[in-house]
């Protein structure tokens, strides 16, 4: 529940100071909680301890947790880092505050993402990756590029046909899609300010009989219309810039699940890899 839902469902009597606080919070929601407890208390002529006590009554573990929720709502409403900067950066500029806020947001992102993750979609993705003759394509643009690269690096150790459709490739994305068929699978991480290239690629993969998996922060992202499976991740952040910690963690879970399915083949592949690396370093030092 968000703040307004907690207030609506709270059935006990509030003090006059708490009633003034509730009125102020509702009038300024969600931005009102971005201020410190002391600043908020001063507006309604009460104390910071009263603010904290009210939020505890409403079910928050701490004032920081309530602020995190408010920042999440603000960042969801404001599309660009520029518009979010003033809204999410508070007056407390201490390093300790930065560390605590980032940790709190990322812990919440991880917990929320994994609690709500579509396990059937996750399992279906692993099956697609490990099916016979599967060719796995990873495509990321902007913020999705590091996630796609991470997946490509590690899935390549588990599967024989993994291709990173990267901006640094000598081929255009269109060239890399010339030979698509029913054994091809696209996994595309796409986040806020979704790439038109990913939307077009997902549509084309689907038209050619290939399968499409999206990892995204938005169930209404344009490419979702072409997806067979969607893995939703939370990207809320204490800063003006979204956090992709949860996305990377889901990517790690995919790698782990594929490695488990390919345990026998993986051992042989890693042995070959170690031999190649040993040869590389031996020749390099010669």
């Amino acid at each position: 529940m968000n703040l307004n839902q907690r207030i609506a469902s709270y059935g006990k009597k509030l003090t006059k100071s708490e009633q003034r606080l509730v009125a102020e919070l509702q009038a300024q929601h969600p931005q009102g909680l971005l201020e410190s407890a002391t600043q908020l208390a001063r507006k309604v002529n009460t104390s910071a301890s009263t603010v904290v006590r009210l939020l505890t009554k409403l079910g928050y573990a701490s004032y920081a947790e309530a602020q995190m929720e408010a920042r999440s709502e603000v960042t969801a409403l404001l599309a660009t880092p520029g518009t979010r900067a003033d809204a999410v950066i508070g007056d407390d500029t201490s390093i300790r505050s930065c560390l605590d806020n980032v940790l709190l947001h990322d812990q919440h992102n991880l917990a929320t993402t994994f609690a709500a993750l579509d396990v059937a979609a996750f399992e279906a993705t692993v099956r697609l990756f490990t099916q016979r003759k599967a060719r796995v394509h990873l495509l990321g643009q902007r913020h999705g590029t590091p996630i796609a690269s991470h997946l490509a690096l590690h899935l390549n150790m588990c599967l024989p046909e993994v291709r990173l459709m990267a901006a640094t490739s000598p081929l255009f994305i269109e060239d890399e899609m010339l030979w698509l068929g029913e054994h091809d699978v696209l996994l595309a991480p796409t986040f806020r300010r979704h790439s038109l290239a990913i939307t077009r690629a997902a549509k084309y993969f689907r038209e050619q009989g290939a399968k499409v998996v999206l990892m995204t922060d938005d169930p209404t992202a344009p490419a979702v219309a072409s997806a067979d499976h969607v893995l939703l991740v939370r990207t809320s952040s204490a800063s003006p810039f979204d956090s992709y910690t949860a996305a990377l963690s889901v990517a790690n879970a995919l790698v782990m699940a594929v490695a488990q399915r390919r345990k026998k083949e993986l051992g042989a592949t890693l042995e070959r890899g170690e031999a190649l690396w040993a040869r590389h370093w031996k020749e390099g030092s010669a």
Side-chain angles (χ1 to χ4, degrees):
M1 293 191 295
N2 64 21
L3 176 68
N4 285 327
Q5 291 170 326
R6 290 172 189 261
I7 291 171
S9 63
Y10 188 76
K12 299 179 182 179
K13 188 176 180 179
L14 298 173
T15 67
K16 290 184 179 180
S17 294
E18 290 171 341
Q19 290 172 13
R20 292 198 303 272
L21 271 172
V22 164
E24 176 68 18
L25 287 169
Q26 289 182 317
Q28 304 298 328
H29 183 75
Q31 287 85 350
L33 271 171
L34 299 182
E35 300 177 312
S36 68
T38 300
Q39 290 172 316
L40 179 57
R42 192 178 295 126
K43 286 186 174 182
V44 294
N45 194 29
T46 189
S47 65
S49 60
T50 300
V51 174
V52 174
R53 191 161 51 246
L54 170 65
L55 292 173
T56 301
K57 286 183 178 181
L58 295 175
Y60 292 102
S62 65
Y63 191 77
E65 183 183 63
Q67 281 194 313
M68 180 188 67
E69 178 189 284
R71 285 196 190 94
S72 298
E73 294 191 37
V74 169
T75 55
L77 293 170
L78 303 177
T80 68
T83 58
R84 295 199 297 269
D86 289 339
V88 300
I89 298 178
D91 294 329
D92 185 352
T93 57
S94 68
I95 296 299
R96 184 73 261 170
S97 174
C98 291
L99 291 169
D100 291 344
N101 280 332
V102 167
L103 177 61
L104 189 63
H105 274 78
D106 281 347
Q107 285 176 329
H108 187 64
N109 285 344
L110 287 165
T112 304
T113 294
F114 279 83
L117 191 69
D118 186 338
V119 178
F122 182 92
E123 186 175 4
T125 301
V126 175
R127 279 201 307 271
L128 288 172
F129 284 2
T130 55
Q131 68 184 343
R132 188 169 174 268
K133 296 183 180 181
R135 294 193 301 176
V136 178
H137 305 258
L138 288 309
L139 174 60
Q141 299 278 301
R142 301 185 78 248
H143 305 304
T145 301
I147 306 298
S149 298
H150 180 82
L151 280 164
L153 175 65
H154 294 93
L155 288 176
N156 182 61
M157 300 179 195
C158 306
L159 301 167
E161 292 278 2
V162 176
R163 303 177 182 186
L164 178 62
M165 301 169 70
T168 55
S169 169
L171 300 177
F172 289 106
I173 290 175
E174 290 76 10
D175 296 320
E176 297 188 63
M177 297 192 295
L178 282 176
W179 303 101
L180 296 182
E182 62 181 359
H183 297 296
D184 290 280
V185 183
L186 171 67
L187 191 150
T190 176
F191 306 108
R192 193 199 307 252
R193 287 188 170 180
H194 302 280
S195 166
L196 181 59
I198 286 181
T199 302
R200 289 172 173 169
K203 182 179 179 182
Y204 189 73
F205 265 76
R206 188 69 177 269
E207 289 172 349
Q208 302 311 305
K211 299 297 183 183
V212 177
V213 180
L214 285 188
M215 181 186 295
T216 183
D217 57 345
D218 183 2
T220 66
V224 167
S226 302
D228 295 281
H229 306 290
V230 177
L231 302 174
L232 282 174
V233 297
R234 186 178 175 89
T235 58
S236 173
S237 175
S239 83
F241 311 103
D242 290 335
S243 169
Y244 305 100
T245 301
L248 183 60
S249 190
V250 171
N252 286 337
L254 281 171
V255 171
M256 178 181 178
V258 170
Q260 286 180 333
R261 295 281 181 98
R262 299 271 300 174
K263 183 177 180 180
K264 182 179 179 180
E265 297 86 349
L266 179 61
T269 303
L270 292 179
E271 284 184 13
R272 289 198 303 272
E274 289 299 321
L276 285 169
W277 272 106
R279 178 179 175 181
H280 169 80
W281 287 111
K282 183 178 180 180
E283 291 178 352
S285 60

